[in-house]
Amino acid sequence: MDYRPEIDGLRAIAVLSVVLFHAGLNAIPGGYLGVDLFFVISGYLITSIISREIEDGRFTFAAFYERRARRILPALIVVLLTCVPFVLILMLPREVIEFSKSVIAVNVFASNVFFWAQSGYFDRTGELKPLLHTWSLGVEEQFYLFFPILLMFALRFGRRRASLLLAAIAGASILYAEIGPQTKEATFYLIPSRIWELLIGALLALWSTEKLRAELPVLTLDILAAAGIGLIGYCFLDHGDIRYPGLRALPAALGACLIIAFASAQTRTGKLLGSRIPVSIGLISYSAYLWHQPVFVFARLSGFDRPNVGVALALTAFSLALAVLTYRFIEQPARDRSWLKRPALIALSSLGMACLAGASTVAIVTNGFEKQGLYFSSDDTRRLYQLLERNTGGDFMRDMGSDGDCVFWMTQFEPPAWGRLIDCSKRFGPATVILGDSHGMNIYNALFRNKYRKFVVGLVGPGCRPWARTRECPYVGFDEFMDAHRETVETVIVHFSGSHLVVDEHDRQEPADVLRYGGRHHFNERPIAMTIDYLQGMSKLTRTIWLGPFLEPRIDFRDLENMKRVARGGYHLNPAAVDILSSVDKHLRDTIGLQRRGFHYISFADVLDQDAMGLLNGDCLMYRDSDHLSVCGESIIGKDLKALLLKYSSAGR
């Protein structure tokens, strides 16, 4: 197909938006959608090539996958190999293991599945995963395993019928992304809810838009292409918090389609995108995409973790410089078949991937080279490392407690589980029920570990707050249960993270940077009002308590150098987070106290003084990560919480 420089210009928009988003710049809150643009571009270009080769009788699978290997593997292997020494220097053994697992996942193009099984793309921990961005390579390569076969089959019936088939699959994919049974993480990472973006590009290629560009007036082409830029700009600048593919990404994808279909050398948009600077950035976009995440992660682990426009732009420029070198000395030679023959390509790629897989396997087997002493410059460092290894991280779900009888927890509460509560209430009297999010999981565990009562139920799960009634949460089922069996429940305790009651100047909930460093913020009044309404309704059925938020450290436990500074300073909580969450607690007490309520609010400050206690209690590091209690932290806090609740209960309040 003829070279179209405006598509490289569109690539430049895509890669810069992703890079600047990962740099932490607030100017483009929707910059993550640049990946969606890449999917559309990829679908268009690959389908254009394959369809013409199939129709000309020149297509072979060997040639197709050789092209993909030349395009993807050499630069990827170089970036992965370069990451290894920095990982060993800057990361703890646990993170070395996780990196090594991610390398193996990248080698088999399954990193999207690997990261889906871990945590969300937008979580704070995602900022410290050097290979998180490779999830998109996994999606693309999984797509291209079956797409040539599908296209060969479909084109037997002509381009029109092939287009109808691809359109039907794309429609099913976007419908699945919107209303399917998957979690939001699965929606983001896995191919069923992503395939529509690649197929939209494929449809453009089958519709032969060259004819439209030749026949339509230049003014019409300009208007349509400019509309595409407008749609993309709208998505990039939108501060909405819906960050998962589906209708949220549709305007950006359609904008990319309009540019691909109608921008040409005669249009102003085409001339702008096809000018020297955008095209130059577009040509190095793949290497820039590969380099930027490791550069940002290693910079954060080296102390450049506070958002700063100057540092962000400097790291972006450094990523682009590395991309220029990689494009010039790795990508271009690898695509030159006269310089790098197919057998040499296969041999070198296999050798590189085998070395990476072998080194990763050794790292996993040796527990991240833990016993090799790479991390311990002193006894204090060793003790700190042992504290971090013993108390932080781990599998939160696996650490949830249950006595196998009537002290248990679940994330959903459907009618089949109702009988268990009814039976337990006959044996032990009415229950104490904890409702809440992952912090509610901490509170349930705190009571479980201190044997609060014989009948305690945790209806808790990540993200499950009174205003977030998703299908993964127990609120609707519990409401129905209470309407029918209120006599089985004595007390309902609602608890969730106070960070979700804080928004930054752009109205983004749980603003990680503000909570960590301070900054402009205000209270999120809508969920506060919705929680009060929910508790008021529940209080008509049983005794109801809102247990206020506990203080969160908002400290990065994965950064050993930062933790050394925290240890030298006395293991205090982050002052910015303490101030903000203390103000949330005061605001809740003031708001609830304005008029008589049917429920009771208990400030966590009445349980214990977390700020005075700090991060360390004896040999217990109180938190497992930046905002959740550790197992031993749950046990320690649970003693005081148990005493307070028992006193509260005996007083008949």
Side-chain angles (χ1 to χ4, degrees), residues 32 120-122 184-185 187-188 241-246 248-249:
Y32 57 90
Y121 180 78
F122 301 99
K184 60 185 182 181
E185 286 79 14
T187 303
F188 185 89
D241 199 40
I242 303 174
R243 297 179 170 183
Y244 299 90
R248 171 70 175 90

Side-chain angles (χ1 to χ4, degrees), residues 221-234 251 254-256 258-259 269:
L221 294 176
D222 239 332
I223 292 172
L224 291 170
I229 293 288
L231 285 171
I232 293 171
Y234 165 75
L254 292 178
L258 289 173
I259 292 170
T269 301

Side-chain angles (χ1 to χ4, degrees), residues 395-411 420 434 440-451 453 456-460 624 630-631 634-635:
D395 189 322
F396 198 176
M397 292 294 186
R398 197 176 299 145
D399 290 336
M400 292 295 293
S402 171
D403 70 351
D405 192 14
C406 291
V407 180
F408 62 92
W409 72 284
M410 58 183 68
T411 58
R420 188 172 183 181
I434 294 91
M441 294 165 65
N442 274 147
I443 296 304
Y444 163 80
N445 268 347
L447 297 179
F448 162 77
R449 300 190 196 289
N450 284 275
K451 296 180 171 54
R453 283 184 173 170
V456 180
V457 181
L459 300 180
V460 289
R624 71 189 307 137
S630 63
V631 171
E634 291 169 343
S635 296

Side-chain angles (χ1 to χ4, degrees), residues 37 59 198 231 247 252 280 308 529 603 609:
L37 304 188
F59 176 80
L198 291 144
L231 285 171
L247 295 179
S280 298
N308 178 292
S603 169
D609 188 343

Side-chain angles (χ1 to χ4, degrees), residues 156-170:
R156 290 184 177 183
F157 304 97
R159 287 199 171 210
R160 182 179 177 183
R161 290 179 178 175
S163 298
L164 291 174
L165 175 62
L166 297 188
I169 298 173

